[in-house]
Amino acid sequence: MTTEYSGTGDPARSLALLWRTREKVSRKGGDLSVERIVRAAIEVADAEGLAALSMRRVAERLGVGTMTLYTHVPGKGELLDVMLDTVYGETARPDEVPGGWRGRLAQIARENFALYLRHPWLLQVATTRPPLGPNLIAKYEYELRAVDGIGLTDLEMDAVVTLVTGYVHGAARPAVEAAQASRDTGMTEQQWWHAHAPYLEKVLDPARFPLASRVGTTAGQEYQAAGDPARAFEFGLARLLDGIEVLVRDRAGAAPAGVTGG
């Protein structure tokens, strides 16, 4: 699997592109703009994967010469940063979410999970050096607001947001892989399971593998598949929020009355 890294472009050029401080207009490309280039690049990555992404491939999709793109975007590194920042702008950010901080974090987690399903190539980008664009900053601001005023320190607020988004990143991978397997093989997870389960029952010895036999059979009958990534995501999310709740309660017990909030 191809792994790309965000933040590899020239810092000055990347930030200028992300914040659109120096957008150029090219006569050669007609109505070509950074926005059109980025949208075309996202479409390529969505349809063909990150390995297929190149300046040449994007130019082909737009019907222009490759060199024309360089009048708007310095290179692939800067383009990838803007692609990331653009899709980060897709997450819904409602002002009111029921359920207090737990409801807010759950909503954020589900939005991020859905984002990976829409754009599977996000899992192929290492973002330890994130693109510091307006959509990323707005997303981070919104996610921090979910835990603002509940008694956590600034570092704890950052850590909680990182914990939740990191969990989603890991939980999204099997869901994305299952969807891609179904698309690429023409066989759903349920069809695959129904084809293999009868043969597994013949070779799986309950005496040798008592737990795998008992639990696996129960899970297989319930899921009608080897697993259920969406269900696993929801189960893990609830347990994650339970753990964060312990921290919030601990801080509430140590703080003066009136410091914490919902």
Side-chain angles (χ1 to χ4, degrees):
M1 180 179 290
T2 301
T3 299
E4 298 281 354
Y5 297 87
S6 62
T8 61
D10 177 84
R13 291 183 174 184
S14 283
L15 288 172
L17 196 62
L18 284 163
W19 292 87
R20 304 294 200 275
T21 59
R22 291 201 308 263
E23 179 142 11
K24 296 180 180 179
V25 177
S26 172
R27 295 178 181 177
K28 295 180 181 179
D31 60 348
L32 193 62
S33 64
V34 171
E35 182 67 23
R36 280 195 63 207
I37 292 169
V38 172
R39 287 297 173 189
I42 292 170
E43 289 170 3
V44 170
D46 286 347
E48 304 173 37
L50 204 58
L53 182 68
S54 67
M55 297 293 277
R56 179 177 179 180
R57 182 68 190 87
V58 174
E60 289 174 354
R61 191 173 188 90
L62 290 167
V64 300
T66 303
M67 294 308 296
T68 303
L69 299 189
Y70 289 100
T71 64
H72 297 272
V73 180
K76 184 179 176 182
E78 292 84 0
L79 175 61
L80 183 60
D81 282 353
V82 186
M83 289 170 62
L84 288 167
D85 193 65
T86 298
V87 298
Y88 288 154
E90 295 177 8
T91 55
R93 298 162 197 169
D95 292 330
E96 299 295 332
V97 178
W101 66 263
R102 281 187 69 117
R104 293 192 292 269
L105 285 180
Q107 184 268 342
I108 287 166
R110 291 173 187 134
E111 279 294 316
N112 279 276
F113 190 76
L115 189 66
Y116 284 115
L117 293 181
R118 288 197 302 275
H119 306 293
W121 53 270
L122 286 171
L123 292 171
Q124 298 173 255
V125 185
T127 56
T128 52
R129 298 173 180 176
L132 302 175
N135 288 322
L136 173 64
I137 301 300
K139 180 174 179 290
Y140 180 54
E141 173 80 14
Y142 180 81
E143 291 167 349
L144 287 173
R145 287 208 305 269
V147 290
D148 186 30
I150 65 173
L152 303 182
T153 67
D154 286 354
L155 288 179
E156 288 170 340
M157 289 168 60
D158 176 76
V160 165
V161 167
T162 300
L163 178 64
V164 171
T165 54
Y167 164 72
V168 175
H169 183 277
R173 187 173 296 279
V176 165
E177 290 174 348
Q180 290 176 331
S182 295
R183 181 195 66 202
D184 295 344
T185 65
M187 179 181 288
T188 67
E189 294 300 296
Q190 289 71 30
Q191 290 171 331
W192 180 91
W193 178 253
H194 285 238
H196 287 75
Y199 297 98
L200 180 61
E201 291 175 1
K202 293 179 180 180
V203 299
L204 188 61
D205 182 1
R208 185 180 179 188
F209 306 108
L211 291 177
S213 178
R214 188 188 83 219
V215 176
T217 298
T218 301
Q221 290 175 345
E222 174 68 20
Y223 305 143
Q224 291 297 296
D228 186 337
R231 199 155 156 178
F233 164 74
E234 289 292 340
F235 179 85
L237 176 60
R239 304 294 76 75
L240 184 68
L241 295 176
D242 288 344
I244 296 171
E245 187 164 356
V246 173
L247 173 64
V248 174
R249 287 178 178 174
D250 180 64
R251 292 294 175 268
V259 172
T260 60

